[in-house]
Amino acid sequence: MKKTVKDINVAGKKVLVRCDFNVPMKDGDITDDIRITSALPTIKYLVSEGAAVILMSHMGRPKGEPKPEYSLKPVADRLSELLGTEVIFAASPQVVDDNVKKTAAALEGGQVMLLENVRYRAEETKNDEPFTGELASLGEIFVNDAFGTAHRAHCSTAGLAKYMPSVSGFLIEKEVKFLGDALESPERPFVAIMGGAKVGDKIPVIENLLKKVDTLIIGGGMSYTFFKAMGYEIGKSILDEESIELAGELMKKAEQMGVELLIPVDSVCAKEFDNNSEKAVFDRDKIPADMMGMDIGPETVKLYCDIISKAKTVVWNGPAGVFEMPSFAEGTRAIAGALAESDAVTVIGGGDSAAAVEQFGFADKMTHISTGGGASLEFLEGKELPGISCLEDK
Ligand code: ADP
Ligand code: MG
């Protein structure tokens, strides 16, 4: 267990807080502020305890240069609205300079400031000096609450922990609790649902989950790599050529371990990757050469929803089909609906799966929706996350 902000005295201290304010932007406006609202509990707690709060985050990939389109100024404005108090924005292309140091030094307990995008500095993603030291000079305590970047060792994540007492914020605490409990002490049956497009990325996750779950369900684009490994033709479906062999090995492994590994039995196929394309349902061994699998079919939906209804813990990563197109959203919607109806502990990891659950209106029916796509995947893979392991133990 890692120490949290509640385990230390922050009153009157300068507290550096790494958040994940990497919000989607369009024409200078924030299109979804969930990452900002997710950070509020920690910020509000620190303010109420009388800490001088210095916030840090990255946004997008400015690649180590100050690029105005990646400025955190809009985040400072939104935060000010949400907190109902001014968030001082330290607008410096170097992120830390003499002015910023002065502002930080003058910051009083209960006040909040936000630094400019830490990825304006090339050192950030290399976890290199002098940037880490410059950041460290601003504060006395480090709080990491950026789950979305916890799988990266950067200056503002793992780097700062070498300089000062370091603890987690409430968001990281919550993520670790829900993802960790699901993996380490799940109520059974424990079912994992894996889907989405990136099979290669997800094979290590499947491998780790096989050791933990009772049933592993495969859906989405990765199904076709498994079909291929089973010897079926998949037409124009998405395929990860390099992962065919591994998919075959995973099936064997599951059998040896006595874990139920379910591959879709049928598939909604289309002529083109287009919502309006001609479509039809085929059994998994009968996909025509001129068509591509876009969603799990109705038989698969029935089978999967039945398994989900009996589960006590479900972890879901990756949509069951091309849910962005209404014609191919049914499988994903049905799974999300089954999760919403179930009384199991339901944990959603992965950016697109979270978006799907949100889109279908089931978000408030889930036990936990992870805010970190890549980080939650690495967590499920069983990897140590450097932004978390660097924090003090209780
Ligand atoms: P997550 O972000 O939840 O981890 P991924 O990024 O791995 O999920 O995959 C999400 C994407 O997978 C979605 O954009 C979806 O359209 C796509 N996808 C799902 N099924 C298929 C399929 N059969 N063919 C092509 N793409 C698919
Ligand atoms: Mg994704």
Side-chain angles (χ1 to χ4, degrees):
M1 284 275 274
K2 294 298 180 184
K3 279 189 187 169
T4 77
V5 285
K6 287 213 162 147
D7 297 311
I8 50 163
N9 181 14
V10 297
K13 299 269 171 58
K14 300 262 189 303
V15 181
L16 280 160
V17 188
R18 176 58 154 101
C19 297
D20 177 7
F21 293 144
N22 185 25
V23 290
M25 304 276 299
K26 200 166 182 235
D27 307 325
D29 291 321
I30 297 166
T31 54
D32 180 357
D33 66 2
I34 176 98
R35 288 192 162 159
I36 302 179
T37 53
S38 302
L40 291 177
T42 299
I43 301 171
K44 283 185 175 164
Y45 173 81
L46 291 170
V47 166
S48 73
E49 291 290 304
V53 182
I54 304 165
L55 303 171
M56 310 169 280
S57 178
H58 78 286
M59 189 203 286
R61 294 169 194 248
K63 306 224 167 100
E65 280 170 43
K67 295 203 178 109
E69 64 270 34
Y70 294 113
S71 171
L72 285 177
K73 175 76 170 55
V75 172
D77 294 341
R78 178 64 60 90
L79 256 178
S80 298
E81 282 167 32
L82 291 167
L83 289 171
T85 165
E86 194 206 348
V87 172
I88 301 163
F89 183 59
S92 164
Q94 288 101 50
V95 187
V96 183
D97 63 17
D98 286 344
N99 260 331
V100 173
K101 284 183 188 170
K102 269 185 217 148
T103 311
L107 199 70
E108 289 174 15
Q111 285 192 306
V112 183
M113 72 185 275
L114 171 64
L115 303 184
E116 186 51 283
N117 190 338
V118 287
R119 290 196 191 163
Y120 276 13
R121 291 287 293 265
E123 301 102 304
E124 166 65 6
T125 53
K126 302 186 187 104
N127 193 12
D128 207 356
E129 298 295 349
F131 187 46
T132 316
E134 288 173 28
L135 286 173
S137 74
L138 304 176
E140 301 160 272
I141 293 172
F142 172 52
V143 175
N144 193 7
D145 210 21
F147 185 72
T149 44
H151 58 316
R152 303 277 181 248
H154 293 169
C155 298
S156 66
T157 63
L160 278 172
K162 294 194 203 95
Y163 281 87
M164 59 191 93
S166 304
V167 300
S168 79
F170 297 130
L171 179 61
I172 284 198
E173 182 191 32
K174 186 167 141 211
E175 292 276 5
V176 169
K177 178 175 169 18
F178 283 111
L179 290 167
D181 282 359
L183 285 188
E184 300 314 329
S185 50
E187 208 184 321
R188 295 183 181 275
F190 177 16
V191 176
I193 309 165
M194 295 295 297
K198 300 169 275 182
V199 199
D201 282 5
K202 296 194 180 183
I203 288 228
V205 182
I206 298 177
E207 216 156 8
N208 188 45
L209 288 175
L210 277 181
K211 295 182 237 155
K212 318 261 182 195
V213 300
D214 301 294
T215 305
L216 202 145
I217 289 176
I218 301 287
M222 67 167 65
S223 310
Y224 307 95
T225 302
F226 282 88
F227 288 4
K228 199 78 185 172
M230 294 164 95
Y232 303 138
E233 286 313 316
I234 58 168
K236 298 193 287 179
S237 307
I238 186 172
L239 171 68
D240 184 347
E241 194 83 54
E242 281 167 26
S243 301
I244 301 174
E245 215 181 299
L246 274 170
E249 282 167 24
L250 284 178
M251 287 190 283
K252 269 193 218 124
K253 223 179 224 173
E255 205 177 328
Q256 285 161 4
M257 296 167 76
V259 176
E260 188 176 32
L261 176 66
L262 298 178
I263 317 283
V265 293
D266 59 355
S267 182
V268 180
C269 299
K271 283 248 154 87
E272 307 298 334
F273 193 77
D274 186 312
N275 186 47
N276 300 315
S277 166
E278 195 182 311
K279 65 172 185 174
V281 174
F282 295 96
D283 287 344
R284 65 184 176 199
D285 57 345
K286 298 197 176 57
I287 297 178
D290 63 342
M291 294 186 92
M292 63 186 88
M294 300 286 277
D295 194 9
I296 54 175
E299 283 305 314
T300 307
V301 167
K302 247 191 265 166
L303 189 77
Y304 286 5
C305 288
D306 184 50
I307 298 271
I308 292 167
S309 72
K310 292 174 187 142
K312 285 278 177 271
T313 305
V314 185
V315 170
W316 181 19
N317 179 286
V322 186
F323 73 98
E324 298 93 337
M325 300 181 191
S327 300
F328 309 105
E330 210 34 60
T332 305
R333 184 200 307 275
I335 287 183
L339 286 178
E341 266 178 37
S342 113
D343 56 4
V345 170
T346 50
V347 178
I348 318 298
D352 291 291
S353 324
V357 166
E358 190 78 45
Q359 181 184 315
F360 300 134
F362 295 125
D364 58 348
K365 297 264 172 31
M366 305 299 164
T367 310
H368 179 67
I369 300 179
S370 177
T371 54
S376 65
L377 262 190
E378 292 201 12
F379 196 102
L380 295 175
E381 201 178 320
K383 279 197 187 158
E384 190 165 88
L385 308 188
I388 296 177
S389 56
C390 68
L391 306 175
E392 286 174 22
D393 290 310
K394 270 200 192 182

